Amino acid sequence: MLVLGLETSCDETAAALVERGRRVVSNAVASQHELHAEYGGVVPEIASRAHVERLMPVVRASMSEGGVTLSDVGAVAVGHRPGLIGSLLVGVAAAKALAWSLGVPLVGIDHVHAHLYAACLDTDREIEHPALGLVVSGGHTTLYRVDGPTRLTRLGATIDDAVGEAFDKAATILGLPYPGGPELDRLASDPAADPTRFDLPISRLGRDSLDFSFSGLKTAVLYSVCGVPRPKREGGGFPRSVGDLAEEDRRDLAAAFQLAAVRTLTLKLGRALERGGYRSVVAGGGVTANSLLRAELARLAAERRLPLHLPPMAYCTDNAAMIAGLAFPMLEAGETADLTLTPVPTTAC
Ligand code: KG4
Ligand code: ZN
């Protein structure tokens, strides 16, 4: 069965076709980065208006890329939670109209569940359950016990910034263009970079905690770049700015930040794995595109002799293939929606 998936939860307008939950037939994504760059972050009203303009052209692009027509579509799936409410509304309204007019089932998908399902796309490998699952994106940093594609139990989550948000903020402090995560990855991957020159903090929280924290790391990058703020009586403000930094300092700071952020993640994965019982490790979300995180996850899984499931690079950041893919096991389980489906800003887990 061919499922059409729609994704409009944040700043990517996406449509994709996936056959029987596995084979990606087409994957069309219209990024809005150019609209939000001047604000240094996503502006919700601009995002929802751009979804209205771009969604149907993106759906048409997914059809022509796949060489099919709407009459070949067996079901319509839409990311309906979590996300920006105005953005979600656009995708949900379009999905309902398409499903109703085509006379096919409608499936409402949790975006966070879909990020973990992305590791099942374009592969025949099955995830061994229970798996230890990690979702790392611009909005989420959460560790799960995974017993099935939609059976997730939260073990821990960030208590402040999401790791992708920390990457983006650190990149801004280092003077890199928006969105900064991939730019910081590139700068840190310079073979000459020395990640040990700057000692940045790895948050551990309590001895048994599986939660994460990234705000201290972000502040440490700010102070390393700009110095410690002067007291008010001395005029306040920072003694330096990013322009005063030598190119090799920026590069080494980027590498030190990336190392500390990735170690913060793998430390908690290691803690969770020590408790035992997991048969595999699965990860998803935009930050799984990070080169060091991919390498460190591979090392961690190999040390524990566990299979690792990571999404192909094209399905790490927001896309609709993960939405269309996850719809298939949900359809098989009879988990369809009707025209009362509503967008919800929060995740189900
Ligand atoms: O999953 P995603 O597209 O959107 C959310 O659901 O939030 O994730 C976007 C996040 C952004 O913060 C972006 O900077 C980060 O993923 N990201 C990366 C890399 N590629 C994307 N962070 C670090 N290294 C990368 N290579
Ligand atoms: Zn996402």
Side-chain angles (χ1 to χ4, degrees), residues 246-266:
E247 192 46 43
E248 61 261 34
D249 293 338
R250 278 175 80 226
R251 184 197 64 200
D252 291 348
L253 258 172
F257 167 84
Q258 180 166 273
L259 184 65
V262 168
R263 290 265 161 91
T264 304
L265 295 169
T266 52

Side-chain angles (χ1 to χ4, degrees), residues 7 9-10 111-112 115 137-140 285-286 316-319 322:
E7 158 59 37
S9 66
C10 190
H111 181 94
V112 175
H115 267 310
S137 72
H140 298 269
C316 291
T317 48
D318 287 351
N319 66 86
M322 64 185 194

Side-chain angles (χ1 to χ4, degrees), residues 19 32 51 62 99 128 167 171 177 182 233 263 294 329:
E19 182 66 40
Q32 301 178 7
H51 287 308
S62 74
E128 303 78 3
F167 263 93
R233 63 187 139 73
R263 290 265 161 91
R294 289 180 91 87

Side-chain angles (χ1 to χ4, degrees), residues 288-318:
T288 47
N290 183 264
S291 54
L292 183 65
L293 180 61
R294 289 180 91 87
E296 288 295 301
L297 288 175
R299 196 181 52 78
L300 186 83
E303 265 171 26
R304 319 250 164 178
R305 298 209 165 89
L306 291 174
L308 171 68
H309 300 270
L310 288 178
M313 289 299 268
Y315 314 130
C316 291
T317 48
D318 287 351

Side-chain angles (χ1 to χ4, degrees), residues 177-191:
Y178 171 89
E183 295 286 335
L184 193 148
D185 187 356
R186 251 190 298 279
L187 185 60
S189 301
D190 184 327

Side-chain angles (χ1 to χ4, degrees), residues 316-349:
C316 291
T317 48
D318 287 351
N319 66 86
M322 64 185 194
I323 303 289
L326 176 54
F328 187 69
M330 289 181 67
L331 281 159
E332 284 194 314
E335 293 177 37
T336 55
D338 59 26
L339 295 181
T340 62
L341 182 71
T342 42
V344 184
T346 52
T347 180
C349 57

Side-chain angles (χ1 to χ4, degrees), residues 2-337:
L2 194 60
V3 178
L4 168 65
L6 305 183
E7 158 59 37
T8 63
S9 66
C10 190
D11 61 342
E12 323 281 355
T13 314
L17 292 161
V18 176
E19 182 66 40
R20 296 185 65 78
R22 291 289 179 157
R23 190 174 68 83
V24 180
V25 173
S26 67
N27 182 36
V29 185
S31 157
Q32 301 178 7
H33 291 164
E34 84 286 1
L35 298 179
H36 303 287
E38 70 172 290
Y39 305 99
V42 177
V43 182
E45 188 57 24
I46 294 177
S48 42
R49 282 167 191 245
H51 287 308
V52 172
E53 287 165 9
R54 295 174 184 202
L55 186 55
M56 287 322 289
V58 167
V59 169
R60 276 186 220 105
S62 74
M63 294 293 149
S64 60
E65 193 188 314
V68 301
T69 64
L70 280 173
S71 59
D72 298 309
V73 169
V76 178
V78 61
H80 77 113
R81 70 184 307 165
L84 300 170
I85 191 70
S87 292
L88 290 169
L89 264 167
V90 180
V92 170
K96 283 183 189 173
L98 281 164
W100 179 78
S101 58
L102 296 171
V104 298
L106 173 69
V107 191
I109 303 282
D110 188 293
H111 181 94
V112 175
H113 294 175
H115 267 310
L116 281 181
Y117 189 83
C120 301
L121 296 171
D122 281 344
T123 173
D124 292 329
R125 287 176 72 204
E126 297 285 346
I127 291 175
E128 303 78 3
H129 297 119
L132 181 63
L134 175 71
V135 176
V136 278
S137 72
H140 298 269
T141 306
T142 314
L143 205 52
Y144 297 100
R145 176 191 160 104
V146 183
D147 288 294
T150 58
R151 291 176 57 207
L152 271 56
T153 311
R154 180 200 283 231
L155 304 172
T158 182
I159 58 167
D160 41 55
D161 291 351
V163 62
E165 194 183 348
F167 263 93
D168 294 338
K169 287 179 178 164
T172 303
I173 295 166
L174 291 168
L176 295 168
Y178 171 89
E183 295 286 335
L184 193 148
D185 187 356
R186 251 190 298 279
L187 185 60
S189 301
D190 184 327
D194 177 3
T196 61
R197 242 189 81 215
F198 293 90
D199 191 19
L200 297 179
I202 294 170
S203 81
R204 287 173 168 74
L205 302 175
R207 184 188 293 267
D208 297 324
S209 171
L210 295 179
D211 288 331
F212 304 93
S213 168
F214 293 96
S215 64
L217 174 58
K218 187 184 65 188
T219 307
V221 173
L222 177 67
Y223 286 6
S224 301
V225 172
C226 301
V228 178
R230 284 182 287 250
K232 249 199 180 131
R233 63 187 139 73
E234 288 172 29
F238 287 100
R240 297 191 301 271
S241 77
V242 67
D244 300 324
L245 232 59
E247 192 46 43
E248 61 261 34
D249 293 338
R250 278 175 80 226
R251 184 197 64 200
D252 291 348
L253 258 172
F257 167 84
Q258 180 166 273
L259 184 65
V262 168
R263 290 265 161 91
T264 304
L265 295 169
T266 52
L267 177 88
K268 299 302 165 79
L269 279 165
R271 271 187 192 173
L273 288 173
E274 261 154 39
R275 295 177 194 179
Y278 295 103
R279 297 180 55 224
S280 63
V281 177
V282 55
V287 183
T288 47
N290 183 264
S291 54
L292 183 65
L293 180 61
R294 289 180 91 87
E296 288 295 301
L297 288 175
R299 196 181 52 78
L300 186 83
E303 265 171 26
R304 319 250 164 178
R305 298 209 165 89
L306 291 174
L308 171 68
H309 300 270
L310 288 178
M313 289 299 268
Y315 314 130
C316 291
T317 48
D318 287 351
N319 66 86
M322 64 185 194
I323 303 289
L326 176 54
F328 187 69
M330 289 181 67
L331 281 159
E332 284 194 314
E335 293 177 37
T336 55

